[in-house]
Amino acid sequence: MNIVLFISTVLIWGTSWIAIAFQVGDVPAVVSIFYRFAISGIIFILGLAVLGKLVFPKRQDLPWIMLQACCLFSLNFICFYLAAGYITSGLIAVIFSLATLFNTLNARVFFGDKITPKVILACALGITGLVFLFGPDLFTKNNEEVLKGIALASLGTLFFSFGNMVSRHLSSRQVSPITANSWGMCLGAGVLLIIIQLTGIEISLPSHTSYWVALFYLAIAASVLGFTAYLMLLARIGSAQAAYTTVLFPIVALTISTFVEGYEWSVLSVFGLCLALGGNIVMFAKPKIKPVLTPGPVKP
């Protein structure tokens, strides 16, 4: 069962980035994200209600759930969708995989967690890997677009990391992730609707079949099924092992991007990907436990 949940999470979330790319262009990014989380939020809430597991959050927890909605289900995805207009979906997935590094730094700031030499090495590998991945593109005529894509994807990953910190705080308040995320998706859709109204963006419906297929894939598979599979995996094998899924996301995403978006590999990009993935592996590596030597009987 664990291997099924692990593979499902990697494939669903690893392919979600190309689905985002299919939604770019015809409809404003904010509107597309609103459609996604309005659908997923309603399905999540109705599903929990049918199963008899729907829990209404306490009033004092609502501000934190709203903050999580802003970080995980609205502002971060605005950045990702906009980034998809400048760089390939596979490269966005690589940047997103470095969320673990952002989490470590933010955990230090907000919760006082220690930063170990292992974390410093992981950060160095991850950043160096991105330099090799994007280095050749930065010296082309469209380097400004590449920089915009990197900046937007990085900002989206930072928002995602902030959302993780809020989720950690909610867990300390005994709010389950399922409760926080089901209501968070609905509140995130509300935040996006407010942004649409304030900015005067027109809500439009595209006619392309690929858009609708991508939308329902993102709303149902990536948001509801993918997140549920990850939560189940988290509960069964723990956070450290479950987090290895993020290491494999970029491999799936870049493979698809190669065939669909025409992403071109080079020696530097392969080396950069290996370094970036190596940073994640170092981050999750368990420290070796030194055996405790017990003294033998003292001879007279």
Side-chain angles (χ1 to χ4, degrees), residues 44-105:
F44 217 151
I45 292 295
L46 290 178
L48 291 174
V50 170
L51 295 173
K53 296 183 178 181
L54 181 62
V55 177
F56 291 90
K58 298 178 181 178
R59 181 179 300 178
Q60 58 268 30
D61 294 326
L62 279 175
W64 293 102
I65 295 178
M66 173 60 79
L67 182 58
Q68 179 175 291
C70 291
C71 294
L72 290 183
F73 306 120
S74 53
L75 299 181
N76 62 322
F77 276 101
I78 291 176
C79 295
F80 291 139
Y81 275 64
L82 292 176
Y86 299 105
I87 57 179
T88 66
S89 60
L91 294 177
I92 297 174
V94 174
I95 295 176
F96 178 73
S97 74
L98 300 182
T100 52
L101 308 183
F102 283 90
N103 283 350
T104 301
L105 297 175

Side-chain angles (χ1 to χ4, degrees), residues 3-23:
I3 189 64
V4 173
L5 291 173
F6 187 93
I7 294 175
S8 298
T9 303
V10 170
L11 291 180
I12 291 173
W13 280 357
T15 54
S16 65
W17 303 101
I18 192 63
I20 289 176
F22 278 119
Q23 290 194 303

Side-chain angles (χ1 to χ4, degrees), residues 37 102 113 119 142 186 252 254:
F37 286 110
F102 283 90
D113 292 1
V119 172
N142 298 323
C186 293
V252 176
L254 281 174

Side-chain angles (χ1 to χ4, degrees), residues 165-233:
M165 299 303 105
V166 177
S167 179
R168 178 172 169 177
H169 178 72
L170 283 169
S171 295
S172 70
R173 297 171 67 93
Q174 306 304 313
V175 179
S176 73
I178 290 180
T179 297
N181 286 286
S182 58
W183 292 105
M185 288 182 184
C186 293
L187 291 174
V191 170
L192 292 163
L193 184 59
I194 292 174
I195 294 175
I196 291 171
Q197 295 299 320
L198 291 177
T199 55
I201 295 175
E202 182 181 355
I203 298 180
S204 57
L205 295 174
S207 57
H208 298 292
T209 304
S210 59
Y211 179 94
W212 290 104
V213 172
L215 172 62
F216 281 99
Y217 180 81
L218 290 169
I220 299 174
S223 299
V224 178
L225 298 181
F227 197 80
T228 301
Y230 182 76
L231 284 177
M232 292 176 63
L233 187 67

Side-chain angles (χ1 to χ4, degrees), residues 220-250:
I220 299 174
S223 299
V224 178
L225 298 181
F227 197 80
T228 301
Y230 182 76
L231 284 177
M232 292 176 63
L233 187 67
L234 199 71
R236 294 172 68 94
I237 67 175
S239 60
Q241 288 81 3
Y244 272 105
T245 56
T246 63
V247 179
L248 301 179
F249 290 164

